[in-house]
Amino acid sequence: DFARRVGRWNFERIIPAHLNAPIRAGPGDWLRAWYFLEDKTLDLEKLLPAPIRRAEPTDGDLRLLREVSQTLVESGVTAPPGSKVKTFF
């Protein structure tokens, strides 16, 4: 649904999160990039290289994520894991 909603917008460029931009693209380009999600016969797992499919986080990866989480909680940016978060809507 997200891809279709954005595909209805009138745009000429896309600025990706990595900011290597701008990319000249319009709604048709955007929708073609997401088309594979519409193919119900496609096994999305097979699109990933085997090493990525089997990837397990390392102890160092998990330690880093825990430290980042703790820092965000301590600074008040996020709520502690498992706590109820208030919504403003």
Side-chain angles (χ1 to χ4, degrees):
D1 190 45
F2 162 76
R4 274 191 222 100
R5 281 186 292 155
V6 173
R8 289 192 293 264
W9 299 351
N10 182 20
F11 58 90
E12 298 173 355
R13 291 177 301 282
I14 296 172
I15 301 175
H18 54 70
L19 301 177
N20 189 8
I23 297 170
R24 288 190 154 292
D29 302 302
W30 170 265
L31 291 170
R32 278 190 295 282
W34 292 95
Y35 181 75
F36 73 96
L37 294 175
E38 298 292 325
D39 186 349
K40 304 300 182 207
T41 64
L42 187 62
D43 184 356
L44 296 179
E45 277 289 309
K46 291 182 180 174
L47 290 177
L48 297 174
I52 293 174
R53 288 196 306 261
R54 292 188 307 268
E56 293 290 328
T58 66
D59 290 338
D61 294 336
L62 294 174
R63 184 174 46 254
L64 173 66
L65 291 172
R66 287 186 191 106
E67 290 170 1
V68 169
S69 178
Q70 181 179 354
T71 300
L72 292 173
V73 170
E74 288 173 357
S75 64
V77 173
T78 61
S83 64
K84 276 203 150 223
V85 178
K86 294 179 190 176
T87 60
F88 298 99
F89 304 101

